[in-house]
Amino acid sequence: FGLEDNEFMYLLLKALQALDRGKNDMRTIGYIFEIRALVSSGYMPYMENCINCGDPDITFFHPEGMLCTDCAKHIESIALTNEGYQALLSITALEIDEVFKLKIKGNILKQISACARIMMKHYLDVSFQTYNVLKHLNWY
């Protein structure tokens, strides 16, 4: 990912501790880990206005940043509810010690999952086949 070893290891440690404590869903921890690893590597999406036109009315996520409805028509993106946007904003902004305490459920978790997938594909140009297997088994 390009992280300094210490920062990545700390992120990994906190993710493993969160899994060990069992106070959060493993899917949530996994998605948070993926997004934070990318963000910590310098792949921080711009979250304030549309990255294309500057419109503050943003409802779509692209790995480089948020988009307004008009700009999203021409760019691959993920529709986010306000709750999904707030969850993604928290994932990108909270300290590592706090981020794994987030509780994300249902439709919001699906939105975060889609954001993690599109970020991995965009920045690393990888699509892991195990995600499809785990998704089919409803594990991840």
Side-chain angles (χ1 to χ4, degrees):
F1 282 121
L3 289 170
E4 285 194 32
D5 290 340
N6 291 342
E7 186 176 352
F8 182 78
M9 294 306 288
Y10 189 68
L11 178 65
L12 180 60
L13 172 68
K14 290 300 179 180
L16 292 172
Q17 286 175 340
L19 285 170
D20 183 53
R21 290 184 185 114
K23 293 183 178 179
N24 211 340
D25 179 62
M26 74 173 174
R27 294 171 299 172
T28 302
I29 294 167
Y31 300 142
I32 290 171
F33 178 81
E34 290 173 5
I35 292 170
R36 281 307 294 259
L38 289 168
V39 166
S40 295
S41 296
Y43 301 114
M44 175 67 178
Y46 184 71
M47 302 293 291
E48 295 180 27
N49 299 321
C50 177
I51 57 171
N52 198 37
C53 71
D55 188 341
D57 187 21
I58 48 177
T59 55
F60 290 85
F61 175 78
H62 179 274
E64 293 178 15
M66 297 301 295
L67 296 165
C68 67
T69 302
D70 287 338
C71 293
K73 292 176 185 175
H74 310 292
I75 300 172
E76 183 182 6
S77 57
I78 307 297
L80 294 180
T81 61
N82 186 51
E83 293 84 4
Y85 171 76
Q86 291 301 323
L88 186 60
L89 193 60
S90 295
I91 290 169
T92 60
L94 286 174
E95 295 292 327
I96 291 174
D97 290 330
E98 299 298 318
V99 74
F100 290 105
K101 295 177 185 176
L102 289 172
K103 302 291 184 197
I104 305 170
K105 301 284 183 199
N107 187 44
I108 307 305
L109 187 59
K110 288 180 183 178
Q111 293 174 46
I112 297 304
S113 166
C115 292
R117 292 296 139 283
I118 196 172
M119 286 180 79
M120 295 289 279
K121 179 77 172 133
H122 182 79
Y123 289 116
L124 301 180
D125 196 28
V126 293
S127 181
F128 298 109
Q129 294 303 318
T130 41
Y131 288 142
N132 295 332
V133 172
L134 293 173
K135 184 176 179 182
H136 178 72
L137 294 173
N138 210 15
W139 288 356
Y140 195 66

